[in-house]
């Protein structure tokens, strides 16, 4: 007994000693983990902030925080990518490489076997192996979402060197790279259907046909006895052998007298007055009795009388229970949503398609854009408060899409300029710049004392007056041949193209490809004639004069091998077209459609753009102190941020 | 039912009041501990402890036999058959105490659900307040929208409504919470005047999502607020509170899961000191 007591006393002593050592080690580890790193860098990414526009407002004293920072630091233009498209530009920034290195040349690339376009930044693949029982199939492995952007993002090098990086909504980073301490995916994140964003519009108007429009679907509502019933569409059910879309029914109970209604979706209910937006409504699509697909949507009650009209936002990946990976660590989106409420997870949430499709008025679009902007701003306050060192990157996309929809207001020479409405729209753009200035002010007031602040944008903006139908130009100049010359206009995705006689085709907002033998499935141009053809087309495009303005339509042509370097040149277009400021590739031509003319006035609501000659749409760079290693271009900026921490690009990265 | 619920409400309010400002797990752990002690006490007195001990010995013997004669297939099958039979006898002997425990346990769970299952509103939150008519009372809405009024105290506002949904037999308002408080909303519907509690509070407190008309089943399911008398056929007055999750050692989960784990854990820890064979 005495021995036992002695043993247990020894054991107790050992345990106490062990506990003390463990506690000391834990405290040490904790204190090491908590100690703020020496360097703190905050990078604010303001998508689409234009250098000239910013400078004008600064001169007018309307961006006092920018002016304050510029007075003690650096403010200037930041050279953008070739072409100046957001996924390309942000990929240049994060990898320090051009498209040849990271493999993103445009929003869309083409499959040379099928000649069909696909999203350039990510790809979703279902499970190939499944067990089939009756009408069901049970996948043996989960599907996969692949990030198609290559290269090492600069924050990976920071992490390798022990510097924490918090990367919020970096474009072209879906699914998240997994290499940062915290990541939330941004531009490129799809809605629950896997599209960039597909809204639904429901109407009781019996004369409106159910149909798909660009970026949306129009559905009929069954309306009787003050009750409207509709169905929300989800993606295809992966558990069924036969292709069948998931769906959830909803009911709108319309008050017989007042302009109010009660919405019931599953277990959720909301009361909405006409003109009101709901908060996020969780939605569950039942795939099989034990499996649901979580999603969420916002409902906007547009009208109740004479017709019931209900807009439903693109159904989103629910951050509380994400169906696809949208953050690092995977449960971070849930943590964020718990703190700040559910939020748009879709990459570009401002619903420009609802405006261009005539579903939203300008006021309704601005209201929706404000909802998205407010969510991102609310989260920023939480994120900045939580930041205690290392690198914080936070992206704001609101300005880009508002500028796309309203930039003609800066240009009375725009063919669709409306002297009644556009002066008000100009105020909206200016107010957005001023709001971004306040974000800088808020950051200055709340960031760690010695932190370095970097404010940057990926490109600038220009009024988009003239649409260049590249594929029609190719037809007119004999490079593309159609099967039926009487039906040139109104065809879609090369459906009328005679590939056996076509030598070049346009795809994407700046891309021009040659139909090369052995590369394209129906290629006819021998590889030996490629250089000559490139030179010929470049020369002709540079000589093309817009008959309305008398100015060149194209001011710069970029040849693949001369512009880019790296292992992914094979994906890229043979030529990138640098349109003159004010001219851009038409939407039709960008996806392989044909029209009746070569250059036309842009009368679309989408009236501002930047997919032009890259030298004419620079972004901005603002820092509160000189950078250790100055940056003149997006491609250099990632390296400059690394240099702030005393780190250089690795040999695998071409940056710098 | 009304009196039982009233007594339970008072009892649980008193027991849980000291923990209202504390982390969720504190009050839940205390209730789980008391429940474990109570269940063990009932189990000891309502079960045949000697028989249970004997059955457990037989199960152990069977397991030991399998271990000893693991190369003798007939012996293993025989032992397994004995274990299965012993298990069936064990379940039979635990049935009486379970029957004794299940009724009070149901009342405890029902009360806890209204403390831990819902979160109070926060200032800035919206909620839907709904008056539901019982089946057969649709006559009220036959002539159009029935007349109804909602009176709210300062601290709560009507944001939108009311919406009359005849198909659901419901009249609903969206109300907004402006500041913390324990409020009474007054609904006038025909000749009925009914009050409904609305709580704007972040602490753990009793929340009643549904105040029901007098009736055994309805009161059994919704015991958190006294029932009301109705002449207009009103079935219930509801308010939508958000669901609450409890923080169970860093794992956010439904309170019932945490409660069961705690109760079972305490019961296992206390069975020897209390001399109970389970």
């Amino acid at each position: 007994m005495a021995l036992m007591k002695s043993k247990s006393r020894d054991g107790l002593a050992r345990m106490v000693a062990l506990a003390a050592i463990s506690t000391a080690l834990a405290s040490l580890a904790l204190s090491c983990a908590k100690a703020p790193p020496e360097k703190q860098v905050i990078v604010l990414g303001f998508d689409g902030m234009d250098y000239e526009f910013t400078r004008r407002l600064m001169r007018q004293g309307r961006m006092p925080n920018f002016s304050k920072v510029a007075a003690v630091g650096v403010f200037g233009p930041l050279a953008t990518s070739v072409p100046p498209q957001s996924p390309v530009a942000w990929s240049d920034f994060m990898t320090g490489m051009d498209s040849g290195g990271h493999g993103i040349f445009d929003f869309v690339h083409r499959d040379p076997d099928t000649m069909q376009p696909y999203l350039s930044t990510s790809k979703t693949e279902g499970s190939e192996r499944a067990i089939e029982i009756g009408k069901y199939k049970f996948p043996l492995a989960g599907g996969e979402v692949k990030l198609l952007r290559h290269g090492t993002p600069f924050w990976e090098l920071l992490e390798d060197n022990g510097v924490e990086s918090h990367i919020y909504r970096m474009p072209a980073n879906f699914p998240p790279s997994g290499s940062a301490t915290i990541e939330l995916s941004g531009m490129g994140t799809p809605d629950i259907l896997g599209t960039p964003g597909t809204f639904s519009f429901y109407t009781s108007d019996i004369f409106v046909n159910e149909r798909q429009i660009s970026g949306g679907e129009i559905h009929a509502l069954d309306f009787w006895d003050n009750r409207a019933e509709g169905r929300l569409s989800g993606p295809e059910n992966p558990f069924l052998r036969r292709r069948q879309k998931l769906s959830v029914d909803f009911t709108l109970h319309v008050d017989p007298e007042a302009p109010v209604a009660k919405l019931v979706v599953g277990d959720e209910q909301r009361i909405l007055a006409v003109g009101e937006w709901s908060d996020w409504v969780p939605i569950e699509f039942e795939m099989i009795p034990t499996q649901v697909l979580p999603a969420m949507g916002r409902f906007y009650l547009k009208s109740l009388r004479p017709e019931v009209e209900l807009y439903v936002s693109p159904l989103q990946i629910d951050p509380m229970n994400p169906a696809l990976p949208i953050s690092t660590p995977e449960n971070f989106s849930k943590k964020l949503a718990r703190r700040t409420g559910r939020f748009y997870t879709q990459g570009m949430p401002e619903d420009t398609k609802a405006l261009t499709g005539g579903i939203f008025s300008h006021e309704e679009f601005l209201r929706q854009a404000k909802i998205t902007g407010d969510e991102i701003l609310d989260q920023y306050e939480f994120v900045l408060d939580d930041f205690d060192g290392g690198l914080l990157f936070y992206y704001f996309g609101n300005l880009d899409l508002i500028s796309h929809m309203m930039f003609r207001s800066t240009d009375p020479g725009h063919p669709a300029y409306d002297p009644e409405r556009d002066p008000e729209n100009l105020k909206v753009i200016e107010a957005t710049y001023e709001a971004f200035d306040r974000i800088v002010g808020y950051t200055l007031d709340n960031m760690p004392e010695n932190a370095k602040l970097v404010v940057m944008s990926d490109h600038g903006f220009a009024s988009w007056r003239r649409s260049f139908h590249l594929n029609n130009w190719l037809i007119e100049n004999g490079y593309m041949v159609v099967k039926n010359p009487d039906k040139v206009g109104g065809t879609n995705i090369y459906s009328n193209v005679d590939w056996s006689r076509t030598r070049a085709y346009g795809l994407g907002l700046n891309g021009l490809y040659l139909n090369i033998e052995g590369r394209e499935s129906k290629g006819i141009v021998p590889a030996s004639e490629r250089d000559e053809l490139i030179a010929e087309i470049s020369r002709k495009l540079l000589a093309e004069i817009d008959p309305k303005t008398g100015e060149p339509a194209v001011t710069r042509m970029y040849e693949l091998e001369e512009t880019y370097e790296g292992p992914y040149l094979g994906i890229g277009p043979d030529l990138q077209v640098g349109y003159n400021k004010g001219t851009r590739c038409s939407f039709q031509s960008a996806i392989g459609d044909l029209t009746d003319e070569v250059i036309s006035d842009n009368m679309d609501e989408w009236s501002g753009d930047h997919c032009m000659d890259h030298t004419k749409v620079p972004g901005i760079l603002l820092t509160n102190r000189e950078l250790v290693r100055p940056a003149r271009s997006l491609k250099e900026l990632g390296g400059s941020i690394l240099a702030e921490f005393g780190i250089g690009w690795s040999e695998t990265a071409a940056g710098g | 039912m009304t009196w039982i619920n009233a007594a339970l409400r008072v009892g649980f309010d008193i027991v849980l009041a000291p923990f209202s400002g504390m982390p969720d797990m504190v009050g839940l752990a205390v209730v789980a501990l008391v429940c474990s002690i109570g269940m063990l006490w009932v189990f000891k007195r309502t079960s045949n402890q000697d028989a249970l001990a004997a059955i457990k010995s037989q199960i152990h013997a069977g397991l030991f036999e399998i271990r000893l004669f693991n190369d003798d297939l007939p012996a293993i099958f025989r032992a397994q058959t004995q274990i299965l039979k012993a298990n069936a006898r064990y379940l039979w002997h635990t049935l009486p105490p379970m029957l004794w425990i299940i009724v009070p346990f149901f009342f405890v769970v029902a009360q806890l659900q209204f403390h831990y299952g819902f979160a109070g509103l926060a200032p800035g939150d919206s909620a839907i307040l709904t008056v539901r008519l019982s089946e057969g009372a649709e006559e009220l809405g036959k002539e159009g929208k029935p007349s109804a009024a909602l009176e709210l105290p300062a601290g709560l506002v009507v944001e939108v409504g009311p919406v009359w949904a005849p198909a659901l037999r419901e009249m609903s308002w969206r109300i907004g919470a402006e500041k913390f408080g324990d409020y009474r909303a007054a609904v006038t519907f025909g000749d009925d005047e009914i009050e409904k509690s609305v709580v704007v509070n972040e602490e753990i407190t009793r929340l009643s999502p549904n105040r029901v008309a007098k009736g055994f089943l309805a009161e059994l399911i919704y015991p958190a607020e006294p029932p009301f008398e109705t002449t207009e056929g009103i079935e219930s007055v509801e308010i939508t509170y958000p669901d609450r999750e409890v923080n169970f050692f860093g794992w956010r989960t439904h309170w019932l899961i945490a409660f069961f784990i705690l109760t079972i854990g305490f019961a296992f820890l206390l069975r020897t000191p209390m001399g109970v064979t389970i």
Side-chain angles (χ1 to χ4, degrees):
Chain A
M1 193 67 190
L3 185 66
M4 276 180 73
K5 271 187 179 170
S6 164
K7 270 192 172 173
S8 69
R9 261 203 302 271
D10 284 353
L12 193 68
R14 267 201 297 274
M15 278 175 69
V16 169
L18 205 64
I21 292 166
S22 306
T23 311
L25 284 174
S27 309
L28 189 67
L30 210 62
S31 63
C32 287
K34 290 272 179 190
E38 279 181 28
K39 288 280 183 184
Q40 292 147 330
V41 178
I42 296 172
V43 183
L44 301 181
F46 289 164
D47 200 317
M49 181 167 267
D50 183 65
Y51 174 67
E52 288 298 335
F53 203 92
T54 308
R55 214 166 58 142
R56 179 170 71 77
L57 290 184
M58 283 168 73
R59 275 202 301 262
Q60 291 172 1
R62 295 171 68 177
M63 297 183 74
N65 293 299
F66 266 63
S67 299
K68 192 166 87 180
V69 175
V72 294
V74 173
F75 173 68
L78 186 66
T80 183
S81 59
V82 179
Q85 299 182 25
S86 291
V88 184
W90 291 104
S91 299
D92 275 18
F93 166 55
M94 70 180 99
T95 63
M97 298 188 283
D98 60 39
S99 302
H102 54 66
I104 309 293
F105 290 85
D106 201 301
F107 275 98
V108 289
H109 291 163
R110 59 64 172 115
D111 179 346
D113 292 330
T114 62
M115 307 304 281
Q116 291 297 303
Y118 63 89
L119 195 65
S120 65
T121 50
S122 66
K123 185 179 179 185
T124 307
E125 289 173 340
S127 171
E128 286 179 4
R129 291 186 304 147
I131 293 176
E132 295 185 349
I133 302 171
K135 66 176 186 174
Y136 296 106
K137 63 174 181 183
F138 298 94
L140 293 175
E144 195 185 2
V145 189
K146 271 189 188 162
L147 177 63
L148 299 180
R149 192 253 308 139
H150 302 277
T152 309
F154 63 81
W155 61 81
E156 194 171 320
L157 301 180
L158 292 178
E159 293 281 342
D160 289 347
N161 286 275
V163 180
E164 282 197 1
S165 53
H166 299 202
I167 310 293
Y168 289 88
R169 294 191 175 84
M170 177 67 81
N173 192 39
F174 170 80
S177 69
S179 53
T181 303
I182 289 174
E183 275 173 298
L184 185 68
S185 65
M187 185 191 293
T189 311
D191 62 8
I192 203 73
L193 299 177
T195 71
T198 303
F199 69 83
S200 301
F201 180 67
Y202 297 84
T203 175
S204 60
D205 187 344
I206 56 169
F207 298 108
V208 172
N209 293 326
E210 289 200 335
R211 64 186 191 278
Q212 289 198 328
I213 58 173
S214 175
E217 292 175 350
I218 294 176
H219 298 279
L221 274 175
D222 292 330
F223 185 52
W224 80 100
D225 205 13
N226 293 317
R227 190 162 63 157
E229 293 188 345
R231 179 165 288 179
L232 301 170
S233 292
E236 279 182 8
N237 189 341
F239 288 94
L240 290 183
R241 291 173 67 184
R242 200 162 54 89
R243 293 162 73 94
Q244 190 178 316
K245 281 193 167 180
L246 294 162
S247 64
V248 169
D249 293 337
F250 70 85
T251 308
L252 196 67
H253 298 273
V254 178
D255 189 88
E257 294 168 9
V260 289
K262 182 174 192 173
L263 172 77
V264 180
V265 193
D267 294 336
E268 298 289 331
Q269 46 181 294
R270 300 290 187 275
I271 291 177
L272 295 172
V274 168
E276 270 195 329
W277 283 83
S278 75
D279 59 350
W280 286 109
V281 179
I283 293 156
E284 289 189 337
F285 291 101
E286 187 182 297
M287 297 188 282
I288 51 174
T290 57
Q291 294 288 319
V292 294
L293 175 71
M296 60 175 196
R298 273 186 186 269
F299 294 74
Y300 169 63
L301 186 58
K302 192 173 165 69
S303 151
L304 283 177
R305 292 177 184 88
E307 300 297 343
V308 178
E309 293 180 337
L310 181 72
Y311 161 93
V312 184
S313 72
L315 298 181
Q316 309 282 307
I317 296 170
D318 185 351
M320 294 291 282
N321 193 3
L324 291 172
I326 56 168
S327 67
T328 305
E330 265 192 49
N331 66 356
F332 176 73
S333 64
K334 187 174 182 177
K335 183 183 167 192
L336 188 62
R338 274 204 180 113
R339 290 287 296 269
T340 63
R342 284 183 161 91
F343 54 89
Y344 273 100
T345 51
Q346 174 197 335
M348 293 194 285
E350 293 81 2
D351 204 340
T352 56
K353 296 292 184 186
L355 177 60
T356 54
I359 304 300
F360 279 168
S361 65
H362 266 255
E363 291 69 31
E364 288 167 333
F365 167 72
L366 285 175
R367 177 89 190 280
Q368 190 267 342
K370 185 173 180 334
I371 290 170
T372 68
D374 287 351
E375 281 181 358
I376 288 171
L377 198 55
D378 288 348
Q379 289 186 343
Y380 178 59
E381 290 172 12
F382 160 69
V383 164
L384 187 61
D385 191 44
D386 232 28
F387 175 65
D388 61 1
L391 170 73
L392 168 63
F393 171 85
Y394 201 92
Y395 169 86
F396 294 84
N398 222 222
L399 178 62
D400 180 69
L401 285 161
I402 287 176
S403 298
H404 274 302
M405 305 317 291
M406 299 187 168
F407 214 74
R408 72 163 188 235
S409 64
T410 65
D411 175 20
H414 189 285
Y417 185 82
D418 180 347
E420 295 281 313
R421 210 178 60 186
D422 277 322
E424 286 305 310
N425 289 341
L426 179 59
K427 286 180 192 164
V428 172
I429 297 179
E430 289 172 346
T432 311
Y433 272 76
E434 286 166 350
F436 277 38
D437 180 72
R438 286 194 294 277
I439 292 170
V440 171
Y442 178 83
T443 308
L444 291 171
D445 291 344
N446 293 281
M447 70 184 192
E449 200 178 337
N450 293 317
K452 186 161 275 187
L453 176 64
V454 178
V455 182
M456 45 85 66
S457 69
D458 55 338
H459 53 69
F461 251 89
S463 167
W464 172 19
R465 295 177 176 186
R466 302 282 286 161
S467 293
F468 195 86
H469 304 278
L470 181 60
N471 282 312
N472 285 79
W473 183 89
L474 290 169
I475 291 171
E476 200 166 81
N477 286 272
Y479 297 110
M480 177 180 269
V481 179
V482 291
K483 288 183 269 191
N484 182 354
D486 298 330
K487 267 187 71 180
V488 172
T491 61
N492 62 1
I493 316 184
Y494 306 127
S495 58
N496 192 23
V497 173
D498 180 354
W499 291 109
S500 66
R501 291 186 290 160
T502 290
R503 290 186 289 160
Y505 57 100
L507 187 89
L509 293 171
N510 298 85
L512 197 160
Y513 297 82
L514 303 188
N515 191 21
I516 301 285
E517 203 174 47
R519 187 183 74 181
E520 269 77 2
S521 60
K522 294 169 185 166
I524 59 162
V525 178
S528 57
E529 293 175 17
R530 180 174 172 268
D531 290 349
E532 197 182 326
L533 189 54
I534 283 176
E536 182 185 315
I537 292 175
S538 294
R539 198 171 53 247
K540 283 190 182 175
L541 272 170
L542 284 167
E544 183 71 27
I545 300 295
D546 183 335
K548 184 177 177 183
T549 62
E551 289 179 8
V554 175
T555 50
R556 202 173 291 264
M557 292 298 294
Y558 308 90
E559 291 183 27
L560 184 70
E561 288 81 3
E562 284 182 9
T563 311
Y564 307 113
E565 58 177 328
Y568 298 102
L569 294 183
I571 303 171
D574 299 284
L575 281 166
Q576 297 273 17
V577 183
Y579 297 99
N580 196 0
K581 194 169 186 178
T583 302
R584 204 207 77 172
C585 180
S586 69
F587 281 121
Q588 295 94 327
S589 202
I591 53 167
D593 292 357
L594 300 175
T595 61
D596 296 318
E597 45 198 342
V598 172
I599 310 182
S600 60
D601 277 337
N602 171 34
M603 303 304 285
D604 203 284
E605 292 288 352
W606 188 285
S607 65
D609 215 284
H610 43 81
C611 300
M612 302 165 185
D613 178 340
H614 85 289
T615 60
K616 300 188 174 179
V617 281
I620 61 123
L621 179 65
L622 173 77
T623 62
N624 64 343
R625 290 195 301 277
E626 289 260 356
L627 290 171
V628 172
R629 190 174 128 184
R632 288 152 300 162
S633 69
L634 273 173
K635 224 168 69 168
E636 293 174 353
L637 187 56
S640 299
I641 291 167
L642 285 175
E644 292 297 316
F645 294 93
I647 300 166
W649 284 105
S650 72
E651 287 180 4
T652 53
Chain B
M1 199 68 237
T2 307
W3 292 106
I4 294 172
N5 280 338
L8 284 169
R9 278 196 300 272
V10 173
F12 272 83
D13 285 353
I14 291 169
V15 168
L16 293 173
F19 311 111
S20 64
M22 295 185 191
D24 305 334
M25 289 315 298
V26 180
L28 212 51
V30 170
V31 178
L33 179 65
V34 173
C35 283
S36 301
I37 293 169
M39 284 194 300
L40 286 171
W41 187 84
V42 172
F43 198 92
K44 189 175 182 178
R45 269 148 192 80
T46 57
S47 65
N48 184 339
Q49 289 282 292
D50 294 338
L52 280 174
I55 292 166
K56 285 183 77 175
S57 297
Q58 285 166 11
I59 293 171
H60 286 146
L63 292 170
F64 195 47
E65 193 176 349
I66 290 170
R67 178 135 176 94
L68 275 179
F69 304 104
N70 58 13
D71 54 351
D72 183 347
L73 211 55
I76 290 172
F77 279 128
R78 201 168 45 246
Q80 280 178 336
T81 311
Q82 280 169 4
I83 290 170
L84 280 173
K85 281 180 183 171
N87 266 321
R89 286 203 304 280
Y90 179 86
L91 288 175
W92 175 251
H93 280 282
T94 55
L95 204 58
M98 286 302 168
L99 290 174
W100 279 99
I101 287 167
I102 203 159
V103 176
F105 198 70
F106 173 83
F107 283 109
V108 171
V109 167
Q111 287 295 325
L112 288 179
Q113 166 65 8
F114 297 105
H115 282 82
Y116 291 99
F118 302 98
L121 302 177
D125 279 358
S126 297
I128 296 177
L129 191 143
T130 298
V131 175
R132 177 173 293 145
L133 303 181
S134 54
E135 231 169 303
E138 296 94 333
E139 293 303 315
L140 266 175
K142 274 275 162 66
E143 305 298 320
K145 191 172 176 177
S147 86
L150 173 65
E151 210 173 300
L152 295 176
L156 297 175
V157 287
V158 173
E159 290 179 342
V160 181
V163 179
W164 170 235
L168 301 174
R169 308 189 308 273
E170 287 178 0
M171 182 79 88
S172 303
W173 291 260
R174 193 176 79 214
I175 65 170
E178 291 186 326
K179 55 185 179 184
F180 288 117
D182 206 345
Y183 301 106
R184 307 292 298 172
V187 179
T188 307
F189 201 100
D191 290 338
D192 282 344
E193 281 184 31
I194 299 162
E195 286 196 346
K196 172 79 193 79
S197 74
V198 180
V199 177
V200 185
N201 190 345
E202 286 175 341
E203 294 183 343
I204 297 162
T205 184
R206 175 165 47 84
L207 298 171
S208 164
N210 206 343
R211 187 176 182 200
V212 292
K214 268 184 174 294
F216 179 80
L217 198 61
E219 288 181 62
L220 186 70
I221 299 168
Y222 296 104
E225 204 170 1
F228 56 81
E229 304 273 2
T230 175
T231 56
E232 302 283 9
I234 294 177
E235 195 176 276
S236 64
V237 183
E238 302 170 11
I239 184 149
T240 51
Y241 287 117
D243 290 337
R244 178 197 283 273
E245 286 181 330
V246 296
N247 187 344
F248 186 52
F249 302 113
W251 174 39
R252 296 185 74 87
T253 184
H254 192 274
W255 73 270
L256 203 54
I257 294 170
F259 180 69
F260 270 114
I261 292 171
L262 285 170
T263 309
I264 290 166
F266 284 133
F268 269 93
L269 285 173
L270 295 172
R271 67 191 167 142
T272 310
M274 288 180 69
V276 186
T277 301
I278 54 173

